[in-house]
Amino acid sequence: MFSSANHDGTTRLTNHEEFSGVLVTLIRPFLRTPKKDGYAAFNTGLKQRVEDRTALGPGA
């Protein structure tokens, strides 16, 4: 996971996972959809939580 502050005061979060090794070719089809769905759910939940806390003000 990587995050960086943008010039407009927002933050960008990037998820990245890299697989290597002999068996990756065999298991890659099983890794694609569930991981992407999991990342999307995590990102959506995190975004909502941060926005909710920001709306409450400092120290929330």
Side-chain angles (χ1 to χ4, degrees), residues 1 13-15 35-53:
M1 186 166 36
L13 172 72
T14 305
N15 296 350
K35 290 289 183 186
K36 288 183 180 178
D37 292 345
Y39 283 140
F42 172 80
N43 291 340
T44 301
L46 180 61
K47 181 179 188 289
Q48 186 64 51
R49 184 173 179 166
V50 169
E51 289 175 347
D52 290 348
R53 290 188 67 160

Side-chain angles (χ1 to χ4, degrees), residues 2-33:
F2 172 79
S3 66
S4 66
N6 296 326
H7 296 292
D8 63 357
T10 62
T11 302
R12 175 176 289 280
L13 172 72
T14 305
N15 296 350
H16 176 78
E17 197 166 36
E18 189 172 319
F19 297 95
S20 63
V22 178
L23 295 177
V24 171
T25 309
L26 298 173
I27 65 170
R28 188 175 307 272
F30 300 105
L31 297 174
R32 289 197 174 152
T33 303

